[in-house]
Amino acid sequence: MLPHLGNRVGIGLVGLALIGAGGYLMSVRLDRPDDPIVDLGSLTEGRPWVWPLAAGAALLLALAASRWLASALGWRRRGSRTGSGAAMLGVALKGVDGVADIKVRLVGERRMRVSLSLRPDADLPEVIDRLDRTAISRVRGAVALPDLPAVVRLHVRRR
């Protein structure tokens, strides 16, 4: 399953669960307005360790949810995409069969990250040769940083 699809499914399931729980609690409150919805007195009676344990569990859950949300939104990614760099890379790889997706990201003026996604029928030696000979230097020229180090990731799809 694709990572972004998994994140969307996860967010959708959590949202549906929260809507269902909220609707249930609202219907209970409307049916019995004077009764408490949740009575935790029986759980904490004579057990002073329950509240710190519950607070620790809630804190861990909040930290895990915050980390998941930050990664789902892409905040851990560094750099900015450059359309001109991707266009120049596309021009340099023109005529090579099997190139499916091209992404170029600049991380400040420190380095350039290039991601190529290839189909299984791609001519891998030709792609590597073109990247080495002309493509990376064209992208460096397009972003006006001729000595920029580049990290290239090649991903060959199974299907």
Side-chain angles (χ1 to χ4, degrees), residues 32-102:
R32 297 175 273 161
D34 294 333
D35 292 343
I37 294 176
V38 178
D39 183 20
L40 298 176
S42 63
L43 290 175
T44 60
E45 224 172 73
R47 297 181 193 109
W49 53 268
V50 171
W51 287 113
L53 181 69
L59 181 66
L60 287 176
L61 183 63
L63 287 174
S66 298
R67 183 174 184 269
W68 175 64
L69 180 63
S71 67
L73 293 175
W75 288 347
R76 65 180 175 192
R77 295 182 189 140
R78 295 184 187 157
S80 59
R81 288 186 181 169
T82 171
S84 60
M88 290 310 287
L89 193 59
V91 168
L93 294 175
K94 186 175 183 181
V96 177
D97 291 332
V99 177
D101 191 25
I102 299 172

Side-chain angles (χ1 to χ4, degrees), residues 81-142:
R81 288 186 181 169
T82 171
S84 60
M88 290 310 287
L89 193 59
V91 168
L93 294 175
K94 186 175 183 181
V96 177
D97 291 332
V99 177
D101 191 25
I102 299 172
K103 293 178 185 168
V104 177
R105 185 178 293 271
L106 293 177
V107 181
E109 292 188 6
R110 296 181 306 179
R111 73 175 177 260
M112 173 175 53
R113 299 173 84 184
V114 176
S115 286
L116 288 174
S117 182
L118 306 172
R119 292 189 300 268
D121 62 332
D123 187 10
L124 194 58
E126 176 68 21
V127 170
I128 293 171
D129 185 48
R130 288 236 189 138
L131 282 171
D132 194 31
R133 282 189 295 124
T134 59
I136 297 299
S137 61
R138 282 190 182 187
V139 174
R140 287 178 179 147

